[in-house]
């Protein structure tokens, strides 16, 4: 089920406990989050599986993506897997995942985007777009190449990195299908209100284009 509005993805920090993530996920889903990425590099396959099962009790299973662990995504029957540069390729992941599960791929250039699309990715995550606390010392990529990627690939592109409710419209204006957020929601004192602020900003921009 694809939301017809701009998508709001939330990515776990890798620094919170399962109980904290459950609280954030439940609140963010109420606030308008579309997809949650379990990005927990330090956790085992068994732990990631336990996270999916626990999270599926507070939000729809079909809205949960597992980063890198294609095996866990397949076994859990969730929305799908999100792949990093060190992960399986989309075509390799497709052999493992069940029919209908989605494959995302993180990209950082037009060449990477074209390759991922050619290999069968269902959507791309591009960043970091704006200055980001999670990428200190690295210059942001901005929206110029993002605009080029969105124009040249036929699959949705999600912008990530330093995205706030105030600048989310710039990401959509570059041709993106949505945004992905980390600390803007996971570290918020009120994750539901934070997600709602993003949701409203995305929908407001969409409505302004009609």
């Amino acid at each position: 089920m694809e939301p017809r509005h701009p998508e709001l993805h939330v990515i776990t920090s890798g620094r919170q406990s399962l109980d904290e993530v459950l609280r954030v996920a439940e609140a963010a889903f109420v606030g308008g989050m579309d997809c949650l990425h379990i990005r927990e590099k330090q956790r085992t396959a068994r732990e990631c599986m336990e996270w999916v099962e626990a999270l599926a009790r507070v939000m729809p299973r079909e809205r949960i993506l597992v980063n890198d662990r294609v095996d866990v995504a397949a076994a859990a029957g969730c929305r799908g897997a999100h792949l990093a540069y060190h992960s399986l390729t989309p075509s390799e992941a497709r052999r493992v995942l069940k029919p209908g599960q989605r494959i995302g791929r993180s990209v950082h250039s037009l060449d990477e985007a074209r390759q991922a699309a050619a290999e069968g990715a269902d959507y791309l995550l591009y960043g970091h777009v704006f200055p980001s606390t999670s990428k200190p010392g690295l210059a942001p990529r901005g929206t110029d190449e993002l605009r080029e990627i969105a124009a040249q690939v036929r699959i949705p592109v999600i912008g990530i990195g330093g995205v706030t409710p105030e600048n989310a419209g710039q990401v959509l204006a570059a041709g993106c299908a949505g945004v992905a957020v980390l600390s803007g929601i996971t570290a918020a004192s009120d994750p539901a209100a934070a997600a709602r602020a993003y949701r409203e900003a995305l929908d407001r921009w969409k409505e302004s284009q009609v």
Side-chain angles (χ1 to χ4, degrees):
M1 180 179 63
E2 294 295 335
R4 285 173 288 183
H5 54 213
E7 293 186 20
L8 175 58
H9 292 226
V10 177
I11 301 174
T12 66
S13 67
R15 296 186 297 272
Q16 292 176 305
S17 68
L18 176 55
D19 284 345
E20 290 174 298
V21 172
L22 286 169
R23 177 185 63 82
V24 169
E26 186 171 18
F29 185 72
V30 169
M33 170 183 72
D34 292 300
C35 296
L36 178 75
H37 295 235
I38 299 176
R39 184 175 180 268
E40 300 288 319
K41 299 178 183 179
Q42 79 283 18
R43 301 196 187 276
T44 65
R46 167 50 51 196
E47 288 173 317
C48 288
M49 187 72 177
E50 290 169 354
W51 277 49
V52 175
E53 295 304 326
L55 284 159
R57 293 194 287 269
V58 302
M59 62 178 291
R61 182 182 298 265
E62 62 268 22
R63 301 294 188 90
I64 300 171
L65 290 145
V66 181
N67 281 44
D68 191 37
R69 297 306 306 242
V70 178
D71 53 347
V72 174
C78 59
R79 185 181 183 88
H82 186 84
L83 308 174
Y85 69 91
H86 58 261
S87 305
L88 298 178
T89 66
S91 57
E92 290 165 342
R94 187 70 67 191
R95 299 177 206 154
V96 180
L97 292 173
K98 297 174 181 176
Q101 286 190 292
R102 311 283 285 172
I103 295 174
R105 179 74 160 83
S106 292
V107 299
H108 306 94
S109 69
L110 177 58
D111 285 345
E112 288 183 11
R114 285 172 172 157
Q115 182 177 358
E119 290 176 347
D122 293 302
Y123 73 91
L124 304 176
L125 203 63
Y126 174 88
H128 62 293
V129 181
F130 303 113
S132 171
T133 55
S134 66
K135 303 284 185 181
L138 288 178
R141 292 186 166 85
T143 58
D144 289 345
E145 188 174 42
L146 176 58
R147 189 182 304 277
E148 192 174 1
I149 289 170
Q152 294 201 28
V153 299
R154 297 186 175 221
I155 57 177
V157 181
I158 306 293
I160 187 172
V163 180
T164 66
E166 291 71 31
N167 63 28
Q170 297 177 47
V171 179
L172 299 183
C176 278
V179 302
V181 180
L182 285 84
S183 60
I185 292 176
T186 63
S189 57
D190 186 341
R196 196 172 299 115
Y198 280 96
R199 177 80 271 148
E200 290 172 355
L202 295 171
D203 291 345
R204 188 163 54 247
W205 185 88
K206 181 76 172 178
E207 290 165 6
S208 75
Q209 304 305 300
V210 176

